[in-house]
Amino acid sequence: MTGASDRSRRVTLMDVARHAGVSRATASLVLRESPLVAEPTRLKVRDAVRELGYVYNRGAASLRMRRSHTVGLVISGLANPFFADFIEGVERELRPAGYVAFLANTFDDPERQGMLIRTLLEHQIDGMLIVAAAGSSAEIGVPPEAVDIPYVLATRPVPGVAASYVGTDNRAGARMAVDHLLGHGARRIAYFGGPEDGAARMERQAAVAERLAESESDLDPAWTVPSPVSTTDGQHVARALVSSSAPPDAVIAHSDAIAFGVMRSLRDAGIEVGTRCRVVGFDDVEQARAWSPSLTSVSVKAATLGGRAAQMLLERIRAPEIPPESLVLEPQLVVRESCGCGRDS
Amino acid sequence: MTGASDRSRRVTLMDVARHAGVSRATASLVLRESPLVAEPTRLKVRDAVRELGYVYNRGAASLRMRRSHTVGLVISGLANPFFADFIEGVERELRPAGYVAFLANTFDDPERQGMLIRTLLEHQIDGMLIVAAAGSSAEIGVPPEAVDIPYVLATRPVPGVAASYVGTDNRAGARMAVDHLLGHGARRIAYFGGPEDGAARMERQAAVAERLAESESDLDPAWTVPSPVSTTDGQHVARALVSSSAPPDAVIAHSDAIAFGVMRSLRDAGIEVGTRCRVVGFDDVEQARAWSPSLTSVSVKAATLGGRAAQMLLERIRAPEIPPESLVLEPQLVVRESCGCGRDS
């Protein structure tokens, strides 16, 4: 039980690093076959390993990393049915990999998000998937220097944070919606709802305005009212819109949840959806198919998006040193009744 | 830095317990003002405290308990919009108490639930709120002997598990729905959907059958088809129902999510909702108001239910020794269009 003699002492990674004249971190990267280390350095470390007879124990290395097989899933608001599909996509990838997700709900509040991220970090998670609260930035809500574990941003990029990201081409989605409505003869098109500081909302609204300008129409500022992503809020804000003297002849809603409320307000005002006012949503949530009229929607492929984000996170957990990646999925317009398809004559 | 003399040694809780002739645990309960300790014992401990000059340090006691101010929230399936309201109710109570919830999604799979509960227990949570997966029992899904932290069951009791519980009076809710439909002249009433082994489904269906028997009608077994709680499943299962030669003249759906799908299938079959077939849902989710026709629904007061469950859990965390409590909330029928109100003439 007394200390072993110096000669029989096991060679450590530190010995290898010193012998090769590199840092311990660099030696570790080489042993984990990271592509980040330049070839000459790699060779020096490999030589040191051979000369000292160092044995790299993968099992012990993995134990040292103490993986909990748990990831944090930070969500901006479960009231939006988009997240049911998104989370299902995430879990579908995590499950076969033996990972479990703990969800935390920020209610689109960046301060609360910062607190939740710090709390998750205290609970031994291996990585994080973040749908950032509107208004998040490098300063508020996502403390990048504090997040010392792999993480991926999903659906909403965060200004100033160069992290891995999976999202949708919001501009392309908005253009699809405008073009389809223009094709139906709509000319007074509103872009409606969504969180005030939301990056997705700003991208989509800008693309709608651009496309309308190209067709010599304007996006009336009165028709770009922000709102939280919920049916009740959509219904409430739409009331003022539809009771104006010159209401729009088409509405692109920031999300299906908002579109459901807009459709109800239109109906209550005696404005038939699909003829006098056409409605297109975003997200293509489960209930869009069943609603009356069924909702035409820009599918952002929520489940696929969640699945790809989870894959990217699992890859980062396996190889934290790989540089941030960005994956932007193409949206798809799913045509149903609310745009007027099958109703025009 | 050497040991202090015996005389100056601080009096410990163990000293108090020995002096009073009780266990350390009992002495601790008395100091925490637990109502569980009988008056004579309480007095003996209080006397010992006074005689020995013991100082009870609440701050240190709380530190010793090492609270993480995090609770686990185990949910059967986020596809059901009921949970958006439920979780909001939970968070509304947790937030001012300085608590954060980590959600885990079981997809109504008791095995997965057991795994998630074990994982949560490994992550330093102070308590758990469980909406048990259908088919959970003392043997499967909720390992009560393994759960050594305070927990509360919500909305679904678990057979054989005597834990604190907050739920709704399912039988009363079902009776309200039947009585309202009978009042509209409906005679062929179906109870539709819900998880196969779900306790709530069984309670409601039994109450519907009883009430119908009292009014000399039967609940046709063909009209009691189970289904997962989702709009797509509701729509799918309702198709067979509405295409039968003698369809029901009213449907009570196990949840609003299912009712939305049922209404769509009725519409697709050319059966007008509210006249030829009346529909009542359960849950009164946000979108019930906005749907066309708006959905009459038995409100189980999801947000209140979540809030009360969270309060009960916080109380148990503060005083884990209090015996299990049961709180059953009265549901309320929220009358809208789908039952035919405002349409009968």
Side-chain angles (χ1 to χ4, degrees):
Chain A
M1 286 310 208
T2 51
S5 81
D6 200 54
R7 284 184 62 203
S8 72
R9 188 179 69 90
R10 268 190 66 185
V11 177
T12 67
L13 182 59
M14 199 59 229
D15 300 329
V16 171
R18 277 202 201 102
H19 195 85
V22 301
S23 71
R24 192 184 173 286
T26 301
S28 169
L29 284 178
V30 172
L31 291 171
R32 282 185 285 144
E33 288 164 33
S34 160
L36 283 185
V37 183
E39 196 54 29
T41 313
R42 199 188 295 253
L43 289 175
K44 274 196 284 185
V45 174
R46 290 267 159 75
D47 285 347
V49 165
R50 209 173 25 248
E51 285 161 25
L52 298 178
Y54 175 72
V55 181
Y56 179 55
N57 185 336
R58 271 181 200 283
S62 139
L63 258 183
R64 263 199 307 280
M65 292 167 85
R66 284 174 188 274
R67 293 213 177 130
S68 68
H69 288 87
T70 310
V71 298
L73 182 44
V74 180
I75 294 293
S76 57
L78 288 169
N80 185 353
F82 164 83
F83 286 113
D85 291 337
F86 177 83
I87 292 166
E88 199 171 326
V90 170
E91 305 240 18
R92 208 147 56 198
E93 286 300 320
L94 294 183
R95 217 168 162 166
Y99 268 80
V100 157
F102 290 165
L103 266 75
N105 203 12
T106 66
F107 294 97
D108 244 332
D109 173 347
E111 306 269 6
R112 181 173 167 82
Q113 175 179 290
M115 181 272 284
L116 287 169
I117 288 177
R118 281 189 299 274
T119 307
L120 280 164
L121 287 170
E122 287 162 9
H123 283 80
Q124 294 86 42
I125 53 171
D126 297 343
M128 247 188 295
L129 220 160
I130 302 170
V131 179
S136 295
S137 66
E139 288 72 42
I140 184 170
V142 187
E145 71 293 340
V147 183
D148 56 355
I149 59 170
Y151 71 106
V152 169
L153 299 176
T155 87
R156 300 169 170 186
V158 176
V161 176
S164 277
Y165 170 74
V166 180
T168 323
D169 188 338
N170 282 305
R171 302 181 68 87
R175 281 196 299 269
M176 284 171 191
V178 173
D179 290 349
H180 189 77
L181 290 168
L182 289 171
H184 271 296
R187 287 299 171 267
R188 303 166 47 75
I189 300 175
Y191 183 84
F192 202 71
E196 180 117 42
D197 301 321
R201 174 172 172 266
M202 289 191 254
E203 286 177 20
R204 292 176 193 170
Q205 192 173 301
V208 170
E210 261 174 48
R211 205 64 162 189
L212 287 178
E214 286 166 22
S215 68
E216 290 169 14
S217 306
D218 282 337
L219 181 59
D220 189 327
W223 297 349
T224 59
V225 192
S227 86
V229 179
S230 86
T231 297
T232 307
D233 288 298
Q235 191 172 350
H236 186 74
V237 185
R239 252 177 234 144
L241 187 78
V242 298
S243 64
S244 75
S245 57
D249 58 10
V251 173
I252 302 171
H254 177 75
S255 82
D256 290 354
I258 294 169
F260 296 146
V262 170
M263 290 201 287
R264 179 68 204 206
S265 274
L266 289 169
R267 201 197 114 169
D268 289 345
I271 299 174
E272 200 191 15
V273 173
T275 50
R276 277 185 55 209
C277 188
R278 300 163 199 280
V279 177
V280 175
F282 253 91
D283 290 349
D284 189 31
V285 300
E286 191 204 355
Q287 296 169 349
R289 288 188 291 278
W291 208 275
S292 297
S294 57
L295 180 63
T296 294
S297 184
V298 179
S299 170
V300 298
K301 298 166 187 165
T304 307
L305 218 149
R308 299 304 291 274
Q311 284 171 357
M312 200 182 266
L313 179 60
L314 290 173
E315 275 167 37
R316 295 202 76 73
I317 290 172
R318 272 179 225 116
E321 67 282 1
I322 53 176
E325 304 166 293
S326 203
L327 177 66
V328 176
L329 304 178
E330 269 307 288
Q332 187 188 349
L333 186 72
V334 181
V335 173
R336 297 200 184 90
E337 298 164 338
S338 63
C339 59
C341 276
R343 289 200 168 202
D344 295 313
S345 54
Chain B
M1 286 312 208
T2 52
S5 81
D6 200 54
R7 283 185 61 202
S8 73
R9 188 179 67 90
R10 270 190 62 185
V11 177
T12 68
L13 182 60
M14 198 59 229
D15 299 328
V16 171
R18 277 201 201 103
H19 196 84
V22 301
S23 71
R24 192 184 174 285
T26 302
S28 168
L29 283 178
V30 173
L31 291 170
R32 283 184 285 144
E33 288 163 33
S34 160
L36 283 185
V37 183
E39 196 53 29
T41 312
R42 200 188 295 253
L43 289 175
K44 275 197 283 183
V45 174
R46 290 265 159 75
D47 285 347
V49 165
R50 209 173 25 247
E51 284 161 25
L52 298 178
Y54 175 71
V55 181
Y56 180 55
N57 185 335
R58 270 181 201 283
S62 139
L63 258 182
R64 263 198 308 279
M65 291 167 85
R66 284 174 189 275
R67 293 212 178 131
S68 68
H69 287 88
T70 310
V71 298
L73 181 45
V74 180
I75 294 293
S76 57
L78 288 170
N80 185 352
F82 164 84
F83 286 112
D85 291 337
F86 177 83
I87 292 166
E88 200 171 326
V90 170
E91 306 241 16
R92 209 147 56 198
E93 287 299 321
L94 293 183
R95 217 168 161 165
Y99 268 81
V100 156
F102 290 165
L103 265 75
N105 202 13
T106 66
F107 293 97
D108 244 333
D109 173 347
E111 306 267 7
R112 182 173 166 81
Q113 175 179 290
M115 182 272 284
L116 287 170
I117 288 177
R118 282 189 298 274
T119 307
L120 279 164
L121 287 170
E122 288 162 8
H123 284 80
Q124 294 88 42
I125 54 170
D126 297 342
M128 247 188 295
L129 219 160
I130 303 169
V131 178
S136 296
S137 66
E139 288 72 42
I140 183 169
V142 188
E145 70 294 340
V147 184
D148 55 356
I149 59 170
Y151 72 106
V152 169
L153 299 176
T155 87
R156 299 169 170 186
V158 176
V161 176
S164 278
Y165 171 73
V166 180
T168 322
D169 188 338
N170 282 305
R171 302 181 68 88
R175 280 195 299 268
M176 285 171 190
V178 174
D179 289 349
H180 189 77
L181 290 168
L182 289 172
H184 271 296
R187 288 298 172 266
R188 303 167 48 75
I189 301 174
Y191 184 85
F192 202 72
E196 180 117 42
D197 301 321
R201 174 172 173 267
M202 289 191 255
E203 286 177 18
R204 293 176 193 169
Q205 192 172 301
V208 169
E210 261 174 48
R211 205 64 163 188
L212 287 178
E214 285 166 23
S215 69
E216 290 169 14
S217 307
D218 282 336
L219 182 58
D220 190 326
W223 297 349
T224 59
V225 192
S227 85
V229 180
S230 86
T231 297
T232 306
D233 288 298
Q235 189 172 350
H236 186 74
V237 185
R239 250 177 235 145
L241 187 77
V242 297
S243 64
S244 75
S245 56
D249 59 11
V251 173
I252 302 171
H254 177 76
S255 82
D256 290 355
I258 294 169
F260 296 147
V262 170
M263 290 201 287
R264 179 69 204 205
S265 273
L266 288 169
R267 201 197 114 170
D268 289 345
I271 300 174
E272 200 192 15
V273 173
T275 50
R276 276 185 55 208
C277 188
R278 300 163 198 282
V279 177
V280 175
F282 253 91
D283 290 349
D284 189 31
V285 301
E286 191 203 355
Q287 296 168 350
R289 288 188 290 279
W291 209 273
S292 297
S294 57
L295 179 63
T296 295
S297 184
V298 179
S299 170
V300 298
K301 299 167 188 163
T304 307
L305 217 149
R308 300 303 292 273
Q311 284 170 357
M312 200 181 267
L313 179 60
L314 290 172
E315 275 167 36
R316 295 201 76 73
I317 291 172
R318 272 180 226 115
E321 68 282 0
I322 52 175
E325 302 167 294
S326 204
L327 176 67
V328 176
L329 304 179
E330 268 307 287
Q332 186 188 350
L333 186 72
V334 181
V335 173
R336 297 198 184 92
E337 298 164 337
S338 64
C339 59
C341 276
R343 289 199 167 203
D344 294 314
S345 54

